[in-house]
Amino acid sequence: MSPTLPEPRLTQVYRLEATLGQPLELGDTEQGRKRIVPLTGGTFTGQILGHGKLVAGASADWQTILPDGTALGDIRYTLQTDAGAILYVQSRSVRHGSPEVLGRLARGEDVDPREYTFRTATQIQTADSALDWLNKGVFIGVAARQASGVIYEIHLVE
């Protein structure tokens, strides 16, 4: 007899609203167009994690843009809670949609996030013993690219 497995539940850990710097365009490679987008600042809030800020200079999105406009991200950023804990966050992301919507995003227009898919698989590391549960968690995220920056909502899979 097979055991009944629990249904996964999602609990939002934080919402980060980050500002972006000018992308560094590396150009076309065999894997796609490469660019690095610095995350230059921002704040986060969450019922579980509390509040804090994104650490500028230690945060960026290394992107690969495929020929159809799909963006694959290797997002690495550093957060500092108001209590002083440092969090290292690494996400693998995919952002895709219709050619028209991706064109609007590429031009820097605000696009309703329900018009495209932007998701992350996320890991969080910290040396803060009170937040050790982050080191052991499985996280996913939903995101939105806006003219003013990017928003990540990160959820714990329970």
Side-chain angles (χ1 to χ4, degrees):
M1 175 181 281
S2 295
T4 301
L5 299 177
E7 288 289 324
R9 293 178 298 126
L10 298 179
T11 301
Q12 186 177 352
V13 178
Y14 63 87
R15 177 185 171 106
L16 169 63
E17 297 190 19
T19 55
L20 302 174
Q22 190 66 31
L24 175 62
E25 298 287 345
L26 281 71
D28 291 321
T29 71
E30 290 180 12
Q31 292 83 30
R33 186 167 48 92
K34 301 286 190 176
R35 62 191 210 155
I36 302 168
V37 182
L39 282 70
T40 57
T43 58
F44 71 88
T45 185
Q47 286 188 328
I48 298 174
L49 198 55
H51 305 280
K53 66 179 180 179
L54 180 127
V55 179
S59 305
D61 181 0
W62 286 260
Q63 295 181 348
T64 301
I65 310 300
L66 302 178
D68 69 355
T70 297
L72 305 176
D74 177 3
I75 308 160
R76 300 172 189 226
Y77 56 90
T78 306
L79 301 177
Q80 183 171 19
T81 69
D82 286 348
I86 303 294
L87 310 177
Y88 169 64
V89 181
Q90 183 175 8
S91 295
R92 298 282 184 197
S93 72
V94 61
R95 185 182 70 210
H96 62 86
S98 71
E100 185 269 332
V101 166
L102 294 177
R104 289 169 40 212
L105 286 169
R107 291 189 295 277
E109 298 176 20
D110 279 329
V111 178
D112 185 328
R114 294 172 295 192
E115 292 186 52
Y116 58 97
T117 298
F118 190 176
R119 303 290 185 266
T120 72
T122 300
Q123 292 182 303
I124 304 172
Q125 297 177 42
T126 184
D128 188 292
S129 60
L131 298 174
D132 185 57
W133 61 272
L134 292 169
N135 296 310
K136 301 170 184 132
V138 173
F139 303 92
I140 61 168
V142 293
R145 176 68 171 89
Q146 299 184 310
S148 60
V150 65
I151 299 169
Y152 300 108
E153 290 184 352
I154 304 301
H155 300 265
L156 174 65
V157 180
E158 298 183 90

